[in-house]
Amino acid sequence: MKLTLGFSPCPNDTFIFDAMVNGKIDTGEFEFDVVLEDIQTLNVWSQEQRLDITKLSFPAFFSSQHYRMLRAGGAVGNGVGPLLVAKKMVDVRDLAHARIAVPGFNTTANFLLTYTFPTAVNKVPMLFSQIEDAVAHEEVDLGVIIHENRFTYQQKGLHQICDLGAIWEEREHSPIPLACIAARDNIDLQVQDAISALIRQSVEYAWTQYPEISGYTRQHAQAMDEKVMRQHIELYVNDYSKDLSTAMDAIEKFQQIHATLLNVEC
């Protein structure tokens, strides 16, 4: 059985899926046609049901009517939230008038910005990897950064205004649900369970090879410093990546608050 599979080229995702898509573990009857795209592109594609299996930001997953969450491969954790940064220090009381770059409207990053600062409505969507430079060149007043940019923004002369994830954790006493892996709902449940098991096996294989970073991860990380690759993997790949069962309370709380804010905005 051949299935289309979409995830990001970021080190945490290539680390998770490397063994599964590159023949390092036995995938049995399954073959995967892999597409690597940024998370917001995958979020948008899910509305078209373009892929059989895909990574999705939780807000995009909650809005989807055609995907079911798999138990493995997701991103949930503590200390993993997006950061709000600027070129110079900003009074957060002025955010209602600020232009803020976000990595897509369907992302957890955008949701946490709204959750923390409901009056911050002047948002500029752009590719996550372009946000640092946009803030540094003053094309926008602030930016919400994710992924490896949380380790590099200071090198661009930027300042952290707020850790949006830390505020969620402090208020809700809950880890942050960032993203999940989801399968189209017309895929047999036994197949979905088998894919979850393969993803878990792929993660476990990757950790047996660590701290070695595979060529697959290096290839897609491109010019990223090796230290940043390791920081990225160690922050975003954890026990939840193997099994989201213990994160269900956090995910349900996130969904309830997301629905409440969505209704308020409407």
Side-chain angles (χ1 to χ4, degrees), residues 36-54:
L36 278 74
E37 285 288 351
D38 71 282
I39 187 65
Q40 178 59 9
T41 297
L42 296 174
N43 290 340
V44 172
W45 283 2
S46 71
Q47 299 168 9
E48 306 165 8
Q49 303 176 60
R50 188 177 298 193
L51 300 172
D52 296 317
I53 303 165
T54 184

Side-chain angles (χ1 to χ4, degrees), residues 49-118:
Q49 303 176 60
R50 188 177 298 193
L51 300 172
D52 296 317
I53 303 165
T54 184
K55 183 171 188 177
L56 292 177
S57 299
F58 272 106
F61 172 69
F62 297 149
S63 301
S64 170
Q65 298 179 2
H66 302 287
Y67 284 87
R68 290 195 182 100
M69 183 174 65
L70 299 185
R71 294 193 308 275
V76 176
N78 296 97
V80 299
L83 306 179
L84 181 65
V85 300
K87 190 170 184 179
K88 56 187 177 182
M89 296 307 294
V90 175
D91 188 332
V92 295
R93 293 172 294 185
D94 296 333
L95 292 191
H97 308 291
R99 297 179 74 246
I100 306 175
V102 297
F105 290 132
N106 296 329
T107 59
T108 299
N110 180 58
F111 165 77
L112 288 174
L113 176 63
T114 299
Y115 169 84
T116 308
F117 300 110

Side-chain angles (χ1 to χ4, degrees), residues 187-257:
I187 295 175
D188 186 85
L189 289 176
Q190 289 185 326
V191 172
Q192 294 183 35
D193 288 344
I195 301 302
S196 289
L198 285 176
I199 297 172
R200 176 171 184 151
Q201 187 179 347
S202 188
V203 175
E204 291 172 342
Y205 177 91
W207 281 124
T208 66
Q209 306 302 304
Y210 198 75
E212 179 64 29
I213 297 177
S214 73
Y216 187 66
T217 294
R218 290 179 185 277
Q219 171 192 350
H220 294 291
Q222 298 177 348
M224 191 185 301
D225 181 84
E226 184 169 310
K227 178 182 178 181
V228 174
M229 289 185 219
R230 295 184 195 283
Q231 288 176 308
H232 194 120
I233 291 166
E234 291 169 7
L235 181 63
Y236 292 106
V237 185
N238 53 34
D239 287 342
Y240 293 124
S241 306
K242 295 186 290 186
D243 188 349
L244 285 177
S245 297
T246 57
M248 291 311 300
D249 287 346
I251 293 169
E252 289 172 6
K253 175 181 288 189
F254 193 94
Q255 185 172 16
Q256 291 168 0
I257 295 174

Side-chain angles (χ1 to χ4, degrees), residues 130-147:
Q130 297 174 348
I131 292 178
E132 274 186 335
D133 286 339
V135 177
H137 297 151
E138 299 184 275
E139 297 167 14
V140 291
D141 300 308
L142 303 98
V144 181
I145 57 171
I146 59 175
H147 298 324

